[in-house]
Structure formats: structure tokens, C-alpha cells
Amino acid sequence: MPGLAADQDTVSLVRRVSRALNRRLTDLVGLLFHHKSAGSLGAVAGFAIAVVFAWKFLRSSPARPRRPPGPKRPLVGPAAPDSAARDAAEPANPGKLTTRQIVVKRLGGCRKVTCQLLGVVFEEITPQELQTHATVRPSVVELLLEIAKYCDLYLMETVLDDKSEENALLALESAGLFKTGGLMKEKVLFCSSEVGRTSFVRQLEADFHIDTSLDIISQLSRFIRCQLFVSTIEGGQLAAFIP
């Protein structure tokens, strides 16, 4: 390369000059010993000092020419999310959140969620109604499926007999809530009293519980950090889940 060849030529030149100066210095020292007059000593000493400075100057490598400053590079920030991540983070309609965004916003950090059936998932609000029929609210199906993907979801209810359990499971299955694998029949629990429902939530160590009973919500407030009271008077269901 041209730069490397120029550096080698410079080193070779410095070596040749060094050898010449060494020979000249040797001759001068010999002359000093043969001619010891004051004038000779002064001349030789001055010349020797000049040789030393010249030697130091020649030994220092020549500074390389500095390159002209190039254009500044733009600062690199965090990698921009891809289009899929942006779609998940920002809804198409800025004024309306998607179902997934609602779930992430309300259940951020929650691993296990428990939810009552009557008055929340079912249109029926009393155990007596559940003895004859059960109807899943169409508006909650998508939300429940999304919660089941995001968290470990358990559904539970207080029932009066085995027929009520059958009606509840059949309604959930007909609505397609068992098809995705996030929610299974084994995660639908039944008990005979509200005390049993409270016990279920505590044993499961839920992070978030949804219920229509203020008494249960109050009792659980000492054990879990998040509860949602759904009022059946205001229409029930999980509409209250949407912020």
C-alpha cells in the first residue's frame, strides 16, 4: 500500500542519518581528545548539542495527515418495533382499544384470574334460573378467550344441583369457550355456597377476581390485590371490565 511504503522509506532514511551522525560524533570526540583548547571544546560542545536535538527530531515519527471530518452519523436509538408490534400496541382506531389491549391493560402482571358465571358470563343471575337453562352472553366470549390466552383462567359458580352444573358446562361448550385449549372443563368449578366460592379463590391464589357479590369482594380484599365488582343492576356481564 502507498502509505506503508512511505512509512518504510522514512524509517530507512532515519536509520541512514543516524549512522552518519554516529560516525560524525565519533570523529568529533576523537578530535576533542587531540585538541583540548577552550575554543575547540566550545565548538565541539555546541555541535554535539545540535546533533542531539537533530537526532531527537529525526527519531520522532512524522505525523500523519488528518482526514477531513466526515458527516456526523445520526444517533442510533432503540430499535423501532415491527409493524406487528405496532399494530398490537396501537389500535387502528386511536379512540378504541382492542380486546387484547383491554386485557393487557387491566390484567398487567396477573398470572391467575377467577370469575363468577351468573350475572357475569351468563345472562341468568340466580341459581334457580341455572337449574333450567344457561345462556352465555355473546359479548363476553371474545374477552374470555383473550383472558384465557393471557392468564390462567378459572370460572366458578354456586349451584343448587347437578343439573345446574350440566347446563352451565353445556352452555360454555356451545359458545366455543373450550375449543382453544386455554379454558377447559376442569377449570370450571362449582360449589354449594358463597363461602365455597370464596374458598376456591383463596386456594387458587388468584391475582384477579370478578364477582357480583360485594360480600365476597370484601372478604377477598385482604388476600388478593385486584377484584372487580360487577353489578347485575347495571346490566352485569364484563362490560365493567372495559376501562
Side-chain angles (χ1 to χ4, degrees):
M1 296 177 63
L4 182 59
D7 291 343
Q8 292 177 349
D9 293 342
T10 302
V11 173
S12 178
L13 175 62
V14 170
R15 289 178 178 175
R16 289 197 300 270
V17 173
S18 299
R19 286 195 294 269
L21 288 175
N22 283 334
R23 287 195 300 269
R24 185 62 177 168
L25 187 59
T26 302
D27 294 340
L28 288 173
V29 171
L31 180 63
L32 176 64
F33 281 103
H34 287 87
H35 305 280
K36 299 181 180 180
S37 65
S40 298
L41 284 174
V44 171
F47 187 78
I49 293 173
V51 168
V52 170
F53 279 102
W55 169 258
K56 289 185 177 182
F57 175 78
L58 290 174
R59 282 184 62 88
S60 61
S61 58
R64 295 184 180 180
R66 299 182 62 182
R67 294 182 179 179
K72 294 184 179 181
R73 295 183 179 180
L75 296 177
V76 179
D82 55 20
S83 58
R86 284 195 299 268
D87 292 341
E90 299 180 1
N93 182 359
K96 183 178 180 181
L97 297 176
T98 64
T99 303
R100 171 175 287 274
Q101 290 171 330
I102 292 171
V103 170
V104 172
K105 184 175 182 179
R106 292 302 301 265
L107 301 179
C110 295
R111 297 175 296 103
K112 192 173 294 183
V113 175
T114 51
C115 179
Q116 183 188 7
L117 288 171
L118 287 173
V120 182
V121 178
F122 292 158
E123 293 183 355
E124 293 76 17
I125 61 176
T126 65
Q128 289 76 16
E129 293 177 277
L130 195 56
Q131 287 180 296
T132 57
H133 53 81
T135 306
V136 176
R137 298 178 187 271
S139 59
V140 305
V141 173
E142 182 184 2
L143 188 57
L144 287 174
L145 290 175
E146 201 62 52
I147 294 174
K149 292 178 185 177
Y150 188 78
C151 304
D152 193 10
L153 175 63
Y154 289 82
L155 302 178
M156 56 186 62
E157 191 47 74
T158 301
V159 296
L160 301 177
D161 52 26
D162 293 341
K163 181 62 176 176
S164 300
E165 295 183 19
E166 294 177 5
N167 291 338
L169 291 173
L170 182 60
L172 294 172
E173 185 174 15
S174 300
L177 291 171
F178 298 141
K179 290 182 179 180
T180 62
L183 180 63
M184 300 176 290
K185 291 183 179 181
E186 291 76 13
K187 292 185 177 181
V188 182
L189 311 176
F190 299 99
C191 56
S192 58
S193 66
E194 289 192 348
V195 175
R197 198 156 79 237
T198 305
S199 179
F200 279 155
V201 177
R202 291 188 57 187
Q203 290 175 11
L204 290 170
E205 298 181 345
D207 300 303
F208 196 103
H209 179 65
I210 305 168
D211 208 291
T212 61
S213 171
L214 277 176
D215 289 338
I216 291 180
I217 293 294
S218 177
Q219 293 173 27
L220 292 174
S221 62
R222 297 176 296 168
F223 306 103
I224 63 177
R225 61 186 180 92
C226 296
Q227 309 97 40
L228 176 63
F229 169 67
V230 178
S231 173
T232 56
I233 298 177
E234 296 176 356
Q237 61 177 320
L238 285 176
F241 190 83
I242 301 175

